[in-house]
Amino acid sequence: MIDLRPVRGTRDFYPPQLRLRQWLFDIWRRTSAQFGFEEYDACILESEALYVRKAGDEITEQLYSFQDKGNRRLALRPEMTPTLARLILQREKALGFPLKWFSIPQCFRYERMTRGRKREHYQWNLDIVGQPGNVAEVEVISALIMSLEAMGLDASRVRLHVNDRRLLGEVLDHIGIPAERHLPVMVVMDKRDKVAPESLAAMLAEQGLTGPQLEKLNAFLAMEGLDEVQHALGDESAGARALDDLLSLMGRVGFGDTLVFDITVVRGLSYYTGTVFELRDRSASLRAICGGGRYDSLLSTYGGPEIPAIGFGFGDVVILELLGDLDLLPDLRSEIDYVVFPFSDEQVPAALEISQQLRRKGYRADADFGSRKLKRALQRAGDMGARHAILLMPDEMARGEIVVRDLERREEQRVGLEEFLKQTK
Ligand code: HAM
């Protein structure tokens, strides 16, 4: 017999799981609309070349890639940002910037599986393209926080850890690491939470860091306040200034509590150029819930002009785990207004007709042809999430009557069929 389980690291969505996924997607869609973002999409298959990066990003190593029958090198997208860049570059002249676009793509990564990390996930992507400076930061981060509020999460449960690649660049400059090594060093630094300190030290040594440089780097990474970092750097720091401004603007729009400066946030993707952030649960028991940042040079690395851009990716896996842990998952049931039960074969045509008439009137209606006993019919109606059951019983039907049962109030009424159909508008 063939193995019926889903491919390792992928999920099946039975109706209860799909209801939950839809609930999450609805929050994402509603929040995007609230902030004036428009939805886009593209094919899950992309050219492998779109993901080739020099800095040694982990995402490139995790690619599901293959050669098709026409000898093209293709990949299942591991993230949406390169696709977004491709869409924009194709129509760059025709598009009116700044663009505020969102998408909820399924992404694939051949990842070592841990809690909250699978080989397939859906990811809400919200990006602003063509808007430099912190106003775009404030918009995308505010949308992120509003979506969390809709899920019942606030600053007591989650926090957005914010940093700036420019500040990290200044730190690396300060400890004497040449500019061309900054990106690969940052990609390694991002592994800090995933590998043992000795392995990390060895990987940094491979990137040319000396013992004293490593010590200085660790001293910076242990700093907690932005002032402390600024002070240690000595010179006026552009990165610190940008962060300071962002934190104060976020306070101005009322989201100051959720943000915290965190010098250890680096992000594993090499295309980030400025603000970087990660959403973490306060108990820090799970991997990052959401990650994003500013990537002002990505479009130019594909041969286009420099167009400033910022956004984030917010996956469905970690957040559902967290909401489950916190007992914040909604109790979702399927919903139907009427379910019609014919109790014998003679009533089947009437059941088909009544349910169809109800649908024409705009109700959600179903007919159940398998439950011929009252107890089972009421049980089924409850399972189907029905508000009302319409019971077609031989004696009543002979008199042109039906029994309408209100399943919430547990009351029932005998009414003439004609009259019932006239009454229900
Ligand atoms: P990322 O940090 O690689 O960024 O992924 C963003 C989010 O996607 C993560 O925080 C997590 O919620 C989810 N995620 C990633 N990998 C997995 C996985 N294997 N299993 C479950 N969930 C996962 C990006 O992808 C950037 N392209 C985001 C972005 C958009 N930056 C700017 N715009």
Side-chain angles (χ1 to χ4, degrees):
M1 190 171 168
I2 133 170
D3 188 348
L4 297 177
R5 290 170 303 176
V7 171
R8 193 171 149 72
T10 70
R11 296 164 294 170
D12 292 326
F13 292 89
Y14 285 82
Q17 287 89 41
L18 196 65
R19 277 204 287 277
L20 208 52
R21 190 178 98 189
Q22 276 316 125
W23 168 80
L24 184 67
F25 287 12
D26 284 348
I27 291 182
W28 287 344
R29 287 211 163 87
R30 264 203 315 273
T31 312
S32 305
Q34 231 182 334
F35 281 78
F37 285 76
E38 284 192 295
E39 189 163 5
Y40 68 98
D41 201 1
C43 182
I44 204 158
L45 275 180
E46 283 283 10
S47 293
E48 187 181 24
L50 207 57
Y51 307 104
V52 175
R53 282 171 209 150
K54 283 188 254 114
D57 299 27
E58 199 170 42
I59 208 164
T60 307
E61 293 157 25
Q62 297 171 331
L63 215 53
Y64 274 93
S65 56
F66 63 97
Q67 191 148 325
D68 76 357
K69 293 195 171 75
N71 295 329
R72 297 172 192 91
R73 293 293 311 166
L74 301 179
L76 298 182
R77 66 177 165 226
E79 57 159 337
M80 199 61 168
T81 315
T83 302
L84 172 65
R86 188 175 65 67
L87 262 59
I88 287 167
L89 288 175
Q90 273 189 111
R91 300 258 169 102
E92 185 239 322
K93 296 272 182 301
L95 292 168
F97 294 100
L99 297 172
K100 295 170 80 177
W101 282 6
F102 83 96
S103 189
I104 309 180
Q106 190 178 26
C107 302
F108 288 82
R109 300 182 189 184
Y110 194 82
E111 190 129 18
R112 199 174 60 81
M113 281 193 296
T114 53
R115 190 162 179 238
R117 284 291 180 273
K118 303 208 171 283
R119 292 191 173 153
E120 147 279 317
H121 70 284
Y122 286 86
Q123 203 192 65
W124 178 33
N125 276 251
L126 188 89
D127 293 87
I128 300 184
V129 181
Q131 174 74 66
N134 274 334
V135 281
E137 264 82 342
V138 173
E139 289 253 279
V140 297
I141 294 174
S142 300
L144 169 60
I145 299 175
M146 291 278 279
S147 78
L148 297 169
E149 285 178 0
M151 297 170 205
L153 292 170
D154 60 22
S156 70
R157 313 275 207 184
V158 288
R159 281 216 305 222
L160 193 74
H161 294 243
V162 196
N163 196 9
D164 197 301
R165 282 267 174 107
R166 286 162 291 187
L167 182 69
L168 284 167
E170 288 164 345
V171 168
L172 296 180
D173 271 342
H174 186 82
I175 61 182
I177 294 166
E180 69 276 10
R181 298 245 52 86
H182 285 191
L183 268 188
V185 167
M186 287 189 205
V187 169
V188 172
M189 282 165 70
D190 183 65
K191 300 192 195 319
R192 215 164 93 104
D193 290 338
K194 295 180 214 154
V195 301
E198 313 80 63
S199 321
L200 191 82
M203 281 152 86
L204 286 170
E206 244 172 64
Q207 293 296 335
L209 259 76
T210 63
Q213 281 177 324
L214 186 61
E215 248 172 64
K216 281 188 205 154
L217 181 61
N218 283 333
F220 269 105
L221 294 179
M223 294 178 186
E224 287 192 351
L226 191 50
D227 289 349
E228 195 184 349
V229 180
Q230 168 106 58
H231 188 255
L233 283 173
D235 302 332
E236 177 67 4
S237 156
R241 210 175 329 117
L243 271 171
D244 210 30
D245 178 53
L246 174 62
L247 292 168
S248 101
L249 285 172
M250 289 307 300
R252 181 79 188 263
V253 291
F255 294 127
D257 288 0
T258 313
L259 269 72
V260 52
F261 164 67
D262 184 344
I263 180 99
T264 69
V265 172
V266 183
R267 310 271 301 126
L269 298 159
S270 57
Y271 51 65
Y272 291 117
T273 51
T275 318
V276 276
F277 53 85
E278 275 179 8
L279 186 77
R280 308 220 184 111
D281 68 296
R282 292 196 70 164
S283 64
S285 61
L286 292 161
R287 296 268 304 269
I289 304 165
C290 165
R294 181 165 277 288
Y295 49 100
D296 289 350
S297 315
L298 181 62
L299 283 88
S300 68
T301 62
Y302 290 137
E306 287 253 341
I307 302 179
I310 175 163
F312 61 75
F314 185 162
D316 63 335
V317 183
V318 192
I319 190 67
L320 291 178
E321 294 253 4
L322 177 67
L323 294 173
D325 286 356
L326 298 174
D327 215 8
L328 286 173
L329 287 177
D331 182 18
L332 301 170
R333 306 173 123 250
S334 61
E335 280 176 22
I336 196 142
D337 299 309
Y338 290 98
V339 56
V340 187
F341 293 98
F343 285 103
S344 73
D345 289 347
E346 283 143 55
Q347 277 95 48
V348 165
L352 290 167
E353 190 190 342
I354 295 168
S355 40
Q356 185 51 29
Q357 290 212 28
L358 287 168
R359 289 172 196 138
R360 280 259 179 256
K361 289 167 186 276
Y363 291 102
R364 293 164 297 189
D366 197 3
D368 182 324
F369 303 105
S371 311
R372 296 286 161 94
K373 294 238 166 6
L374 183 64
K375 196 168 159 210
R376 169 143 169 84
L378 294 179
Q379 166 85 41
R380 283 272 298 165
D383 294 348
M384 291 160 85
R387 305 224 160 116
H388 299 93
I390 296 182
L391 312 172
L392 306 185
M393 321 233 205
D395 291 350
E396 279 80 356
M397 283 297 280
R399 295 196 299 269
E401 281 179 357
I402 58 170
V403 175
V404 182
R405 190 176 167 96
D406 184 322
L407 294 160
E408 272 158 36
R409 294 201 193 127
R410 295 166 178 263
E411 289 166 5
E412 54 182 48
Q413 238 190 323
R414 270 179 178 60
V415 283
L417 177 56
E418 299 267 309
E419 190 193 335
F420 169 75
L421 289 175
K422 247 188 246 149
Q423 270 172 10
T424 42
K425 289 206 184 90

